[in-house]
Amino acid sequence: MAEKIVAVKGMNDILPGSVPRKEKLPDSALWRWFERTVDRVMAQHGYQALLTPIVEPTPLFVRSIGAATDIVEKEMYSWTDTMNGDALTLRPEMTAGIVRSMIEHNALYNGPLRVWSIGPVFRHERPQKGRYRQFHQLDVEALGLPGPDVDAELILMVRRLWAALGLVVGKHVRLELNSLGQPAERAAHRAALVAYFEHHAEQLDEDARRRLHTNPLRILDSKNPAMQALVEAAPKLSEHLGAESRAHLDAVCRVLDAAGLPYRLNPRLVRGLDYYNLTVFEWVTDHLGAQGTVCGGGRYDGLFEQLGGRPTPAIGFGLGIERLLLLLQELGLPVPDAAPSAYAVIGEGVDLPRVLVALDALRAAGVSVQMNAGGGSMKAQFKRADASGARHALIFGAEELAQGLVGVKPLRDAAAMQTRERLDEVAHWAARLLDA
Ligand code: ATP
Ligand code: MG
């Protein structure tokens, strides 16, 4: 036998739930249910779907995310196109591509736009539970709107999504909020930070020393326990916020208060990407260990200009789908089952075209039916019917079929009786299979 080829490390298959696997990962039914739920919640809020390429020019990410960030420094999958020498990258996040697309198509010509997208993103990180090299994001962006109204709406929309998925705020997920102010305020804070860290240079680890002059804000994000006290006492951006930035944050908070959504103002919430200003937020959980951030986002009013577009206020967030679905699994929250309504058991020597035409009629009537393909004894077929999760077996025996009949056997309700139904009157009894 030829040698097996396996998937790239940190890149996973999303499999049907019936396939056993070693690693704990969401199955495809859970995945599709999540996508359907997203579809509904986005439509409820007036957001439209948008799809952009997975490959983009490398400079797009260097210019938007920032050269001194973890992503650009070490996490991007980049290469040179052999045909023309273009520098290309697998997208490590979605916002940059979406903004690029909006500028390219002058998409905001007729006014603001609210869009969402779901798809894979790629980061060359050390794979572990909740951290992969290919993962998927739901990305949502409100473009051309300065807020603070839309900032608050966006955050409440995430709560709506949590509710639709069965997640309870406070119990399963919680909201952290901060304001990053405006560039001038950040510059003043940055100067104060650099001065503070320079003053305590002997306490900085290697990473922090390297970042001191490239990206001192990222030092605040340090996970090194030895630096926590130093980071804790560092100058806070909130001390440098002007009246307008404060008012923006207050306005967001007032909506959240009125909506009864609890949050924690976290002055150390800075986010890993460079382009944010004003409102930033994260939704975190305590049920996933170290990989606790399921959703993060914020305002990025300067990005359109930075990428060659007209000044355009914007806000958005990215949600890690694998992490979120892992959380649902971890909590054992009930999710709708993906089983077919019925499983068709097919006797030996039956008139096969007639069976398939009958199944087609049932599906036209809205019944989902899994057909037993490939034959097998009645016993084996009933075993498969059971494993499929279907609530009914449809029994196509040669004798019944000759009379235009099909047997309907309830599989999950021991008290219910088996019946025989007429195949030329599917509409009369199909409904029973739907809601039983
Ligand atoms: P982290 O601090 O965990 O590295 P991040 O700040 O890099 O997260 P973002 O760039 O904000 O993450 O991406 C949005 C979301 O995507 C995160 O909140 C998280 O749920 C998810 N995510 C980020 N990196 C990964 C990864 N390597 N594997 C799986 N999900 C991820
Ligand atoms: Mg990261």
Side-chain angles (χ1 to χ4, degrees), residues 145 189 195 214 264 347 367:
L145 298 161
H189 174 237
T214 55
R264 187 169 82 97
V367 183

mmCIF file of all heavy atoms in Angstrom, residues 145 189 195 214 264 347 367:
data_model
loop_
_atom_site.group_PDB
_atom_site.id
_atom_site.type_symbol
_atom_site.label_atom_id
_atom_site.label_comp_id
_atom_site.label_asym_id
_atom_site.label_seq_id
_atom_site.Cartn_x
_atom_site.Cartn_y
_atom_site.Cartn_z
ATOM 1 N N LEU A 145 -20.000 54.390 9.334
ATOM 2 C CA LEU A 145 -20.806 54.893 10.452
ATOM 3 C C LEU A 145 -19.893 55.223 11.633
ATOM 4 O O LEU A 145 -19.107 54.389 12.068
ATOM 5 C CB LEU A 145 -21.843 53.836 10.858
ATOM 6 C CG LEU A 145 -22.846 53.479 9.756
ATOM 7 C CD1 LEU A 145 -23.518 52.151 10.040
ATOM 8 C CD2 LEU A 145 -23.877 54.594 9.618
ATOM 9 N N HIS A 189 -0.029 58.735 25.371
ATOM 10 C CA HIS A 189 0.038 57.570 26.261
ATOM 11 C C HIS A 189 1.276 56.734 25.960
ATOM 12 O O HIS A 189 1.990 56.279 26.854
ATOM 13 C CB HIS A 189 -1.233 56.734 26.092
ATOM 14 C CG HIS A 189 -1.202 55.444 26.851
ATOM 15 N ND1 HIS A 189 -1.373 54.224 26.234
ATOM 16 C CD2 HIS A 189 -0.990 55.176 28.172
ATOM 17 C CE1 HIS A 189 -1.284 53.270 27.147
ATOM 18 N NE2 HIS A 189 -1.058 53.808 28.321
ATOM 19 N N ALA A 195 8.505 55.981 28.509
ATOM 20 C CA ALA A 195 9.276 56.570 29.612
ATOM 21 C C ALA A 195 9.213 55.663 30.846
ATOM 22 O O ALA A 195 10.232 55.402 31.495
ATOM 23 C CB ALA A 195 8.723 57.961 29.944
ATOM 24 N N THR A 214 9.228 49.620 19.254
ATOM 25 C CA THR A 214 8.437 49.328 18.057
ATOM 26 C C THR A 214 6.944 49.347 18.389
ATOM 27 O O THR A 214 6.158 49.954 17.684
ATOM 28 C CB THR A 214 8.800 47.954 17.458
ATOM 29 O OG1 THR A 214 8.663 46.964 18.476
ATOM 30 C CG2 THR A 214 10.194 47.955 16.905
ATOM 31 N N ARG A 264 -17.263 44.631 31.734
ATOM 32 C CA ARG A 264 -16.185 45.100 32.593
ATOM 33 C C ARG A 264 -15.342 46.070 31.783
ATOM 34 O O ARG A 264 -14.896 45.733 30.674
ATOM 35 C CB ARG A 264 -15.323 43.919 33.036
ATOM 36 C CG ARG A 264 -14.261 44.293 34.072
ATOM 37 C CD ARG A 264 -13.618 43.049 34.659
ATOM 38 N NE ARG A 264 -12.569 42.531 33.785
ATOM 39 C CZ ARG A 264 -11.269 42.787 33.937
ATOM 40 N NH1 ARG A 264 -10.860 43.552 34.934
ATOM 41 N NH2 ARG A 264 -10.381 42.275 33.111
ATOM 42 N N GLY A 347 -36.530 -3.746 0.628
ATOM 43 C CA GLY A 347 -36.507 -5.207 0.547
ATOM 44 C C GLY A 347 -35.826 -5.712 -0.711
ATOM 45 O O GLY A 347 -35.588 -4.951 -1.656
ATOM 46 N N VAL A 367 -40.191 15.985 3.512
ATOM 47 C CA VAL A 367 -39.643 14.980 4.425
ATOM 48 C C VAL A 367 -38.187 14.694 4.043
ATOM 49 O O VAL A 367 -37.884 14.471 2.870
ATOM 50 C CB VAL A 367 -40.451 13.662 4.348
ATOM 51 C CG1 VAL A 367 -39.918 12.646 5.344
ATOM 52 C CG2 VAL A 367 -41.924 13.932 4.583
#
